[in-house]
Amino acid sequence: MSDLFQKAPEATETIVPPAERLGGRRLHVRRGVHRAQVLRHIALMVVTFVMLYPLLWMVASSVRPNSEIFQHAGIFVDTFDFSHYPEGWNALSHPFSTYLVNSAIVVLGTIIGNLVACSMAAYAFARLRFKYRKAAFAIMLITIMLPFHVLIIPQYVLYSQLGWVNTFLPLIVPKLLATDAFFIFLMVQFIRGLPQELDDAARIDGAGHIRIFGQVILPLMIPALATTAIFTFIWTWNDFFSQLIFLTDPSLYTVPVALRQFIDAQSESDFGAMFAMSVVSLVPLFLIFLFGQRFLLRGIATTGGK
Amino acid sequence: MNRRMYAGSAALAAAALIGCGVSPSDSGDIELSDEPVTITLNWWGADSRTQRTLEAIELFESEHPDITVEAQHSDWSGYWDRLATTTASGDAPDVSQFDQLYLASYANRGSLLDLDTLSEFLDTSALPDGLRGSGEVDGTLYAVPVGGTPNGVLINKSIFDEYGVEVPDLDTWTWEDFDTAAQRISEASDGEVRGVGPFGGDSFTLTVWARQHGEELFDETGDVVIDPSVVASYWQKALDWIDSGAGLSAEQLSEETGVPLEQGSMATGGIAMGFSPGAMYTVHAAAMPDSELLIADWPTDSATDEGFQYLKPTMYWAVSSGTEHPAEAGALIDFLINDERVARIFGTDRGVPGNPAAQEAIADDLSPADRTTLDFTASITERIGDAPAITPNGASDIETIQSRYFERVLFGELTPEEGAKQFLDEIQSGIDAAR
Amino acid sequence: MTALGELRALGTGQRRHAIDSDTRDNRAAAGFLAPWLIGLLLITIGPMIASLYLAFTDYNLLENPRFIGTDNITQMLSDERLASSLGVTFTYVLVSLPIQLAVALALAVVLDRGLRGLAFYRSALYLPSLLGSSVAIAVLWRLVFGKEGLFNAFLGIFGIEGPSWVASPDTALGTIMALNVWTFGAPMVIFLAGLRQIPRQYYEASATDGAGKWRQFRSITLPLLSPIIFFNLVLGVIGSFQSFTQAFIVSGGTGGPADSTLFFSLYLYQEAFASFRMGYASALAWLLLLIIGASTAIMFWTSKWWVFYNE
């Protein structure tokens, strides 16, 4: 197992401050800390195993014959049956790749939308002193307090009249218009954590708001932007209800909508295929996170903060 | 925000509401269009049903080159959420698969088309009268039943054999025989396996139990008419099995609520006998390939009413009242229920077809499990009674309400009598509110 | 409306520039906020007003809504299931959220830096959050917390015979809380990002002053991370009050056993889509908005004592 850890991409390496990386101090400390490090690894491995058990079970179930899935709560497989993967891939009206591509399009659109629109709004809320700022901020928060089940019908009527039903527009355009206030709030909190002196210095150099936003604030809030991107990705990738309602044409179905179609309470369900395709749909999420976290964790320490 | 902007958004909100509600299309002269038209077909189900239905659509399109059929499909719960939303917005699919739980709710609110207006295109004469009647609401045919299924008892014979318990004579068994057999299984296996599984949380078994006692849940006007003491005796039965050890414990029963049947105690070998719609025999047989599975009619008593069984419609086809192409929609349903090639494509996926010609068409290449289902359904059909009234408008949530009160009874929060009374009161008030 | 008033008064907790606003900022703000304003007016406000109107109607989705004044509000006063769903939801918010955030913060600190392989741990611990709303969870949760489940097998090692955790009304809510804590990866990621904003030099300086890890955590990490803790708390409260998917999946949409996991949003959903009472559901939604608004206002009000901004 430890080999696996060694090979894992070392995102932390890139953000260790140069002083620490070059300094000899670390070498001296190393031997004394060694035992503590091993203990921490063991503790973390136990926690990780418990946390991952359900996922491991899901992977195991995806290679078990259908009739055995509910007989075992363990993760060791006696009879391997890989047929769920090819079968699940082709079980629905379109190959599973169609759903993966559709989800990817929606995800890409929402990420771009959220990054651009929310960061702009967040800059205004965090750094500009404009009229009705507090009222606007309160309204922004209130808009995320209403459960979506009562909004879905008026929204459907709205998009239906715009002719947007059965397109990706109802899922993407609202994000371009910063309706995910969650992320505005997140970015506001991050921007307010940045030293005001940076803005002031830029202003003295004659920079306007657009330049301060683009050249000072944005580079410093990369962790917040990465967080937003990762969250948007995951929420959109998993969002079932709105994708179900707004996309009724099977060629436009997304992954979460497709995954539920393997299960039916009244007739024969295909659990093996469902688990197999769940595993397939988790792979992009896992990869995105594994490689995205280096941006997430690029702290102020390496981006020029004093 | 300035005033004009505010007014703008309010107008938009108002506009959003205009679309609500459906205006039934003019049923004056319905005829097939000369132009190519596109209609939508909407169903729920898992992947095998999707494949079969798509195949049937292809066949239909090849025979009707002017009609394009667009598919829509989803899982059960998403299906009803989406149908409600699209219907509310005047955007409902032309042809939708329906369940008897929701049929009256949609029909009484003007969302479905009177199918007798389509008789020129849609021939329902092949269906047995009793079955066809289950698609009627207040005397109007709003949906065409695809097929019907009785309720039966699944018996895992392998478990009986394993513990040396003899299977009772299934043709003549009484409730006492049933209870004894269940008890003996539990005792012989030392509680490892229980004699009988879930009973008390679904409206199908409740209806059959009521009919064994000469009662019905609802009358034709859509009111609750069952005597609360019959519901109480039904739940008492479940409690007795728990107390005697013949059945699963209260916790185990509650654990099975909402579980897919592949994960249920029958399929996983935790019980020897379980109540189930006959149509689900095939699914169970597939989920437990190593067990010998039997299916039988319910046990009776000397006092049990004849003809307590009935064929519960497995599902229906219905046409939205907002459709622009009623004739084509009718033609599509006609094709789906009457064409023998479709019958062969569907097999028993939507239950044993109600149309005798369709039954005949599939008879030759049935799997052993399908054959058992078909034979069981046929044998029960000989002694069914009148069909009960379908679930009325306002009671589409009966299943959740029933299982909620059943659980409260199971965990001793309510006595069966209290639970029965409150359960029926809540159903009736829902019906009253919907009027 | 008091919640709204308080929110307005407290706003973002700004103190220095509380009142003044200059025209240049106004113009710039209009530009930066343009997408949000357009979205608010064209997409967000309309459906919200529509739902507010529906709250005063009898609306069964299929026929036109009928105005009934305050009948829905009167009905709420005597609605026992509403009361029990509020109980479930408040219990969940008050118990599950603090545990989830504490676990997330603790692991974020541990996983921040200083150990090889952290990238792997972070990703692995984050994975459950990806799966939180998957249909697979429903199946799994019974395998873990059922009578014959893994958790009881674990307890069995110590000779304890556990109940069926998912099926007993006393413990079912606990399993959903466990599910929520299990997905601590989301707030953890936000904490991790926040930790990176704390300049290393602060720790180095305090280390030379002889401060231990715990004192560093209390005197540097906590205060500097407070805006992020605050954010996670506010969003956690809003999200927990609206919590729907987990209960829906684990209970198969019923809120059972015996309504013990009937979350407010789940009840609202049942009323709207299973019972065709969208008017009443809309009224419930606005009640929830008032509750969340009041809770949020209280948090903003307390934030001036414990949240520190770098301004």
Side-chain angles (χ1 to χ4, degrees), chain B residues 142-164:
Chain B
Y142 283 109
V144 182
V146 174
T149 178
N151 204 292
V153 182
L154 296 175
I155 295 129
N156 188 338
K157 182 155 184 301
S158 306
I159 290 179
F160 275 86
D161 293 346
E162 186 183 344
Y163 294 106

Side-chain angles (χ1 to χ4, degrees), chain B residues 241-322:
Chain B
W241 285 332
I242 295 171
D243 291 342
S244 71
L248 295 172
S249 68
E251 279 179 350
Q252 285 170 317
L253 287 178
S254 141
E255 212 172 283
E256 291 209 14
T257 315
V259 164
L261 55 84
E262 284 90 343
Q263 200 181 359
S265 51
M266 190 79 219
T268 53
I271 53 169
M273 297 186 286
F275 293 85
S276 162
M280 300 212 188
Y281 175 87
T282 317
V283 189
H284 277 104
M288 38 203 298
D290 302 329
S291 304
E292 188 185 344
L293 193 63
L294 310 176
I295 184 162
D297 196 0
W298 278 39
T300 54
D301 282 328
S302 52
T304 303
D305 274 31
E306 290 290 311
F308 64 86
Q309 280 282 11
Y310 72 104
L311 295 184
K312 183 189 172 194
T314 46
M315 57 190 67
Y316 300 88
W317 295 113
V319 178
S320 158
S321 60

